[in-house]
Amino acid sequence: MNNMNPRTIEAISQDGILARNKVLRQTYILLGMNVLFSAACAYVGMLMKVNVPMWLYLIGFFGLAHAVVANRNNGAGIVLLFALTGFLGFSISNILTALMGQGMGAIIVKALVGTAILFLGLSAYVLFTGTNFTFLGAFLYTGLMVAFLAGIGAWIFNMSALSVASAAAFLLISSGYVLYDTSNIIHGEETNYIMATLNLFINIFNIFLSLLNILFAFNRN
């Protein structure tokens, strides 16, 4: 039988709410800084005409992401997180340069606006309704693996239709992950703000790339 004082239970509950609010606040502050840093790196990469090959992109992404996870409980995790987001910014600078060179700068703007609307809208929905989306985890992971393999296949065999289909799948899955990851924070499933920031940034990055791919395909057609 639970003999805990009601005031003690209330205090524990309030402490939990305060802890979750702290993680949420730290996450969005760090996320905003990393988004700006990545955008700045993309701009510098455009000026320097940086071209990151696919093999280096994959090694850099997975290597730095693993390093962030391994150091999520210390200050090095923050430094490595900035290294990852900066690297991702550099890695897409050649794509942005190519679009600008073809007079398709409007596509970049539309993708940025669309990314902001999707992310803010989905995050706000979870924050204001408190809906628990943690049940989506297994489904989203399976879909992510399928979309990733489809994207690799489209790149290897130069299949534009498969590339667009993969981008659309990534867009839906990444949007679902915004719901899932935000829900994890507000329901106390994710208590590490470095990991929370990493997950949300990757969602934003994938949404932006997916929108770029889709908009480019429609504009080309």
Side-chain angles (χ1 to χ4, degrees):
M1 187 174 180
N2 193 340
N3 295 320
M4 292 183 66
N5 188 296
R7 292 186 178 180
T8 303
I9 296 175
E10 183 180 356
I12 294 174
S13 177
Q14 290 178 345
D15 288 343
I17 293 173
L18 290 174
R20 288 194 291 272
N21 288 342
K22 181 179 179 181
V23 172
L24 196 63
R25 182 173 64 255
Q26 291 174 324
T27 296
Y28 279 100
I29 291 174
L30 187 59
L31 179 63
M33 294 171 63
N34 274 272
V35 168
L36 292 175
F37 181 68
S38 185
C41 288
Y43 178 71
V44 172
M46 292 173 66
L47 296 178
M48 297 173 60
K49 301 186 184 304
V50 173
N51 185 13
V52 178
M54 179 60 74
W55 65 268
L56 180 58
Y57 166 77
L58 293 174
I59 292 174
F61 172 74
F62 287 110
L64 286 170
H66 177 75
V68 172
V69 174
N71 292 274
R72 61 187 179 277
N73 294 316
N74 57 65
I78 297 177
V79 176
L80 289 166
L81 181 62
F82 274 100
L84 172 62
T85 56
F87 172 76
L88 291 178
F90 275 118
S91 70
I92 63 170
S93 59
N94 61 322
I95 299 174
L96 303 181
T97 300
L99 290 173
M100 293 291 290
Q102 298 178 45
M104 298 184 184
I107 289 179
I108 300 175
V109 176
K110 291 177 181 178
L112 285 171
V113 173
T115 301
I117 291 174
L118 272 174
F119 176 75
L120 294 176
L122 293 171
S123 296
Y125 178 80
V126 179
L127 293 174
F128 287 109
T129 66
T131 305
N132 192 335
F133 288 98
T134 55
F135 67 91
L136 291 176
F139 172 77
L140 290 172
Y141 180 78
T142 301
L144 181 64
M145 291 299 100
V146 173
F148 177 75
L149 292 175
I152 293 296
W155 174 67
I156 293 175
F157 298 106
N158 193 27
M159 300 172 64
S160 57
L162 182 58
S163 177
V164 175
S166 174
F170 263 111
L171 179 60
L172 291 174
I173 293 166
S174 298
S175 298
Y177 264 116
V178 172
L179 297 173
Y180 173 77
D181 291 324
T182 306
S183 181
N184 277 342
I185 298 173
I186 68 171
H187 289 96
E189 298 294 331
E190 180 57 78
T191 59
N192 186 294
Y193 72 96
I194 294 177
M195 285 300 301
T197 303
L198 172 64
N199 292 332
L200 290 176
F201 182 88
I202 292 175
N203 297 336
I204 292 172
F205 185 76
N206 285 335
I207 289 173
F208 176 67
L209 283 185
S210 299
L211 286 175
L212 269 185
N213 198 336
I214 294 170
L215 290 171
F216 173 74
F218 277 107
N219 187 80
R220 182 180 55 189
N221 290 337

